[in-house]
Amino acid sequence: MTQVRLDGRVALVTGAGNGLGRSYAKAFAARGAKVLVNDLGGLAQGGGRDPSVAQAVVDEIVSAGGQAAANGDSVEDGGKIVQSALDHFGRIDILINNAGVLRDAAFHKMTEDDWNVIHRVHLNGAFQVTRAAWPHMRAQGYGRIVMTASGAGVYGNFGQANYSAAKLGLFGLAQALAIEGRSKNVLVNTIAPVAASRLTQTVLPKEVLAVLKPELVTPLVLLLASETCQDTGQLFEVGGGCVARLRWERSAAVAFDPTTEFTPEQLLEDWSTLQSFEGSDHPATVADSFALIGRHAGVKLQLAPQ
């Protein structure tokens, strides 16, 4: 059996002071990586700062014989975090965008601050850290990035319009970066984990949390962060010992003559066909989307050369 090792690699894990991030950081170090443990040490709802949170994880890693350093910057200051990794270890090979906060509220009660805080931390925070790491990974011809989405982003969830939008945004960011990074061996994948943490303890019952150990998500992250993995642009659900890959599914198209206008009444007549997934396919690129339209319109649609 091939052993997944990370010897000589430098891993940066954001939000690594608790839960999933802590589990990732300790596992990376145990498999040979040098780890920058980033955590602001704030509250689950945002706000506050405690540098001892990241340092405590570093102390655990070092006491077990690993190499790690602590960083207490906010992901909104992503450049500082990446520079800290470079200052301590001289490079950055792995980035796990894991930091997050929650501001749950029904949409009619959601404030603009509730919306903005979630996007600043989850989406803009991941952008800031990734943008700072990106040129270093491209220059060295190696990088592994994991974005943390959520089932709430994939499917939606009551009271989490802000969180759902940001999490699906992270998947979109990952998909674009997967395309741009492949030629430089910078691979980008996304996970939608379910695990016991400060963010889930308020929305999941205790008996469910008991079987959702963060350590049951970590093996997938280890694999995606390793040289062994050569896949990019993929999305995985993971939790409770279960791992599954998700993909888009498209129903068979209802097509009309593109040289004349069609009516909503005509579309209504074929609505049941549109709603059925019999004869579906699984588009994976923008080109696949264009191809469907072009095929029915009798023209060739393609993106401009990059």
Side-chain angles (χ1 to χ4, degrees), residues 59-71:
D59 292 344
E60 287 186 79
I61 290 172
V62 172
S63 67
Q67 298 184 65
N71 174 272

Side-chain angles (χ1 to χ4, degrees), residues 61-137:
I61 290 172
V62 172
S63 67
Q67 298 184 65
N71 174 272
D73 290 309
S74 166
V75 288
E76 294 183 68
D77 296 316
K80 292 182 180 180
I81 301 173
V82 171
Q83 189 59 52
S84 180
L86 298 174
D87 291 344
H88 280 98
F89 304 121
R91 61 185 290 130
I92 179 168
D93 301 290
I94 298 163
L95 169 59
I96 311 300
N97 284 303
N98 171 73
V101 295
L102 274 184
R103 285 285 189 91
D104 289 359
F107 191 58
H108 66 282
K109 296 180 179 179
M110 185 173 291
T111 67
E112 190 170 346
D113 187 55
D114 291 334
W115 177 271
N116 289 336
V117 165
I118 292 299
H119 281 75
R120 287 204 316 266
V121 175
H122 289 271
L123 187 54
N124 191 57
F127 161 72
Q128 294 290 353
V129 181
T130 305
R131 182 174 65 166
W134 193 255
H136 299 283
M137 291 181 172

Side-chain angles (χ1 to χ4, degrees), residues 198-259:
R198 293 190 305 164
L199 302 191
T200 56
Q201 66 183 4
T202 59
V203 295
L204 293 174
K206 291 182 179 179
E207 60 271 20
V208 174
L209 291 171
V211 298
L212 296 178
K213 299 176 183 178
E215 290 76 16
L216 297 177
V217 173
T218 299
L220 172 62
V221 176
L222 283 168
L223 181 56
L224 294 177
S226 73
E227 192 171 354
T228 303
C229 180
Q230 294 297 309
D231 295 300
T232 193
Q234 297 188 357
L235 170 64
F236 301 88
E237 287 184 333
V238 54
C242 180
V243 183
R245 183 184 167 197
L246 276 69
R247 63 179 179 177
W248 295 116
E249 183 177 16
R250 177 173 59 191
S251 70
V254 173
F256 301 92
D257 184 350
T259 63

